[in-house]
Amino acid sequence: MAQREARLMQVLVNVDVSNLDQGIAFYCRALGLHLTRRLFQGSVAELRGAGVRLYLIEQANGSGATPAGCRRDYREHWTPVHLDFVVDDLDAAVRRAIEAGAVAQPAQHAAWGSLVTLRDPFGHGVCLVSFNGAPPYEVGAT
């Protein structure tokens, strides 16, 4: 019996934003992504250019986020899930992000490279990472 080739699982990244046009402008300008299409009567934007499809979903501030009654809040917040964008020129990437509306923390430097944490205009944490050689998760990989 012939074995089926395993299908690679896809990862889709979804980010809630209170203003879709502002979200598109930020992620395209700050990170070099590009809008590929709008979905669901224009309430969702698909962006590409980072190895995954990124979907911005317009959701009003204060709208229900869970059946248990949690409400969306776009003030600065922390979440255990965030986006890391690997860039070649960290200084240029940080400059673009700030010009597009991000708030940046000072760069952190380590033997593997450098990292800058950002807050997008909707309070989401986003990191810009620049590696010195192979990313740490590839070192020693077989």
Side-chain angles (χ1 to χ4, degrees):
M1 206 154 98
Q3 286 186 327
R4 279 190 189 175
E5 185 176 318
R7 184 171 180 203
L8 184 62
M9 182 185 304
Q10 291 187 17
V11 175
L12 306 177
V13 178
N14 296 285
V15 177
D16 287 353
V17 297
S18 58
N19 181 299
L20 191 59
D21 290 330
Q22 184 183 4
I24 293 166
F26 174 79
Y27 281 92
C28 290
R29 183 173 175 202
L31 300 168
L33 302 179
H34 60 275
L35 176 66
T36 53
R37 60 185 173 155
R38 288 180 181 248
L39 306 158
F40 305 104
Q41 293 79 44
S43 66
V44 175
E46 179 185 76
L47 305 179
R48 291 195 178 195
V52 299
R53 284 181 274 179
L54 175 71
Y55 292 91
L56 302 179
I57 304 171
E58 190 167 46
Q59 302 283 2
N61 190 42
S63 63
T66 67
C70 179
R71 300 277 173 206
R72 288 179 178 83
D73 181 351
Y74 291 108
R75 292 176 294 169
E76 181 178 5
H77 62 276
W78 179 88
T79 176
V81 177
H82 66 274
L83 305 173
D84 285 356
F85 289 89
V86 178
V87 298
D88 293 326
D89 185 339
L90 187 62
D91 293 334
V94 170
R95 199 168 34 255
R96 278 192 311 274
I98 290 171
E99 289 171 357
V103 175
Q105 298 297 316
Q108 301 170 44
H109 304 285
W112 53 263
S114 299
L115 166 94
V116 172
T117 58
L118 306 172
R119 182 178 74 233
D120 78 2
F122 309 97
H124 303 301
V126 176
C127 295
L128 300 177
V129 181
S130 179
F131 293 111
N132 298 332
Y137 51 81
E138 291 181 2
V139 174
T142 57

